[in-house]
Amino acid sequence: MALLNTDALLLFVPLVVLLPLAWWRRRALLLQLLLLPVFDFGWLFGDHLLPPPRPLAFTGPTVTAMTFNVLWSNQDYEGIAAAIRAADTDVVALQELRPEHLPALSAALAPDYPYSSTLEIDLYHTIGLLSRFPLDAVTPLTDPPFERAMLARVRVAGRPLAVVAAHLTPTNALDRGPAQAPQTIAERYARRHQQAEALVALAQRAADPLVVLCDCNLTPTSAAYVTLQAGLTDSFAEAGWGFGHTMLVPGLDLPAQRLDYIWHTPGLVAFEARVGSDSGSDHLPVVVTLAWP
Amino acid sequence: MNSYEARIPRRAHTESRWLSFVTISYVAVIGVWLLLRLVSGDRLW
């Protein structure tokens, strides 16, 4: 059921074939039956097809943020640096950095991002934070249930802001072989759910507004997403338009799932959110503009 | 009516039955999934 919910959008792909066929064959009864999945699709995804509401007026400062899983095997660090510069955000979270590439990347981006911090987990899963503002009180969040996350504080026009860069556990069902796949899936869904609960707890404890820049490895139709929604607001759902898919289908370069998010606490409001362009990773970046209301 | 002409309506009939079978099966799957979501109370949407 959890797997089915995760990829819920795929369940509606047959409509693309069946609706025209039933119409062409003039099968009124079949068309009436197909109204059930049509309405279910509208219920689940209708919001994505409508433009976001006009943002409320705000008077406070703004901050722009980006999250980008660069892909551990992506060696095009010049392209990655160019994509980050093009997005032109104040704060950037990166996932799946390789430690050996950090010096070159830091040097390339130092003029734009004088402040940075990285958390080396292993050869393929370093996470990093780049900032135009000084990063204070950088804290690794590596105790369970977290594996790859860090917290830092910045000040934007005098306002304190807590920033979390996170990479939640991927499913990778075949990591331990096909025979172990069901157990692997169950364990990783459970761990991701615990990580979502921990992020919500962190947000609820935060004295200052908080943003979570995350490759969350979950889709908006998964239970862990609902858990995150209990304490955080999904910026793209709030201010973006469309499905916002960030994960590319291998070989096709077709975005098919939304796995990357910028969440924020009620102390902020998102008034612009978009998916960035392809930079050699299997993920696309997410870029948002947030404001103090 | 030659044998070719006789096959046309039969083929159309077979296609129509397949379309009915596939559509009804698909709607049944969506219906069961919707029902499971509603009764499980997993708050997905």
Side-chain angles (χ1 to χ4, degrees):
Chain A
M1 185 71 174
L3 282 177
L4 210 57
N5 289 340
T6 294
D7 287 315
L9 188 59
L10 293 179
L11 286 171
F12 298 98
V13 171
L15 277 177
V16 178
V17 176
L18 293 176
L19 273 175
L21 270 179
W23 182 268
W24 176 50
R25 288 289 187 180
R26 302 189 189 289
R27 301 291 302 276
L29 179 63
L30 297 186
L31 281 169
Q32 286 169 27
L33 283 174
L34 287 170
L35 284 178
L36 175 75
V38 166
F39 282 127
D40 199 17
F41 175 82
W43 182 29
L44 296 179
F45 301 105
D47 284 355
H48 297 70
L49 307 177
L50 301 171
R54 192 178 282 263
L56 298 171
F58 55 89
T59 53
T62 63
V63 61
T64 51
M66 174 189 197
T67 183
F68 184 24
N69 180 326
V70 302
L71 179 62
W72 63 272
S73 59
N74 180 9
Q75 303 290 308
D76 182 14
Y77 272 68
E78 283 182 19
I80 293 167
I84 293 169
R85 273 195 293 265
D88 194 26
T89 59
D90 299 318
V91 182
V92 182
L94 300 170
Q95 299 92 8
E96 291 196 26
L97 291 164
R98 297 277 291 269
E100 67 265 33
H101 296 301
L102 291 177
L105 187 64
S106 297
L109 292 169
D112 301 287
Y113 296 96
Y115 307 98
S116 64
S117 183
T118 55
L119 178 64
E120 290 189 27
I121 308 293
D122 56 41
L123 288 178
Y124 309 107
H125 292 102
T126 290
I127 58 171
L129 261 178
L130 308 172
S131 172
R132 289 181 173 148
F133 314 112
L135 292 169
D136 296 325
V138 178
T139 311
L141 302 173
T142 48
D143 290 336
F146 291 120
E147 293 169 338
R148 302 182 278 259
M150 62 197 291
L151 168 68
R153 296 181 191 287
V154 296
R155 294 191 81 82
V156 180
R159 310 263 188 132
L161 176 69
V163 182
V164 173
H167 188 187
L168 304 194
T169 302
T171 303
N172 293 343
L174 299 177
D175 266 3
R176 294 184 293 187
Q180 295 282 318
Q183 192 184 346
T184 304
I185 292 169
E187 283 176 13
R188 294 186 179 171
Y189 267 71
R191 195 180 311 161
R192 205 157 50 228
H193 202 269
Q194 290 167 355
Q195 290 167 344
E197 288 175 335
L199 282 174
V200 169
L202 192 69
Q204 288 170 342
R205 284 198 309 269
D208 303 320
L210 178 137
V211 287
V212 179
L213 314 174
C214 182
D215 171 2
C216 289
N217 277 313
L218 54 88
T219 66
T221 49
S222 59
Y225 178 91
V226 179
T227 299
L228 281 164
Q229 273 187 315
L232 291 156
T233 302
D234 173 2
S235 297
F236 190 87
E238 182 182 8
W241 190 0
F243 289 108
H245 289 165
T246 60
M247 181 74 189
L248 302 171
V249 177
L252 292 178
D253 285 350
L254 178 75
Q257 282 185 320
R258 186 151 82 93
L259 303 184
D260 301 85
Y261 300 84
I262 296 182
W263 300 89
H264 66 83
T265 51
L268 297 166
V269 58
F271 66 94
E272 197 176 86
R274 63 180 174 84
V275 175
S277 53
D278 186 0
S279 303
S281 170
D282 57 346
H283 287 247
L284 300 175
V286 178
V287 179
V288 309
T289 306
L290 299 153
W292 276 258
Chain B
M1 183 186 294
N2 63 33
S3 60
Y4 175 74
E5 288 169 327
R7 278 201 304 271
I8 294 173
R10 194 182 308 154
R11 193 174 65 187
H13 184 62
T14 305
E15 284 173 5
S16 182
R17 285 177 65 180
W18 267 107
L19 180 60
S20 299
F21 173 73
V22 171
T23 304
I24 291 168
S25 303
Y26 171 63
V27 172
V29 168
I30 295 289
V32 169
W33 176 52
L34 176 62
L35 202 65
L36 283 173
R37 276 160 38 206
L38 292 173
V39 298
S40 68
D42 55 11
R43 299 184 301 122
L44 279 189
W45 306 285

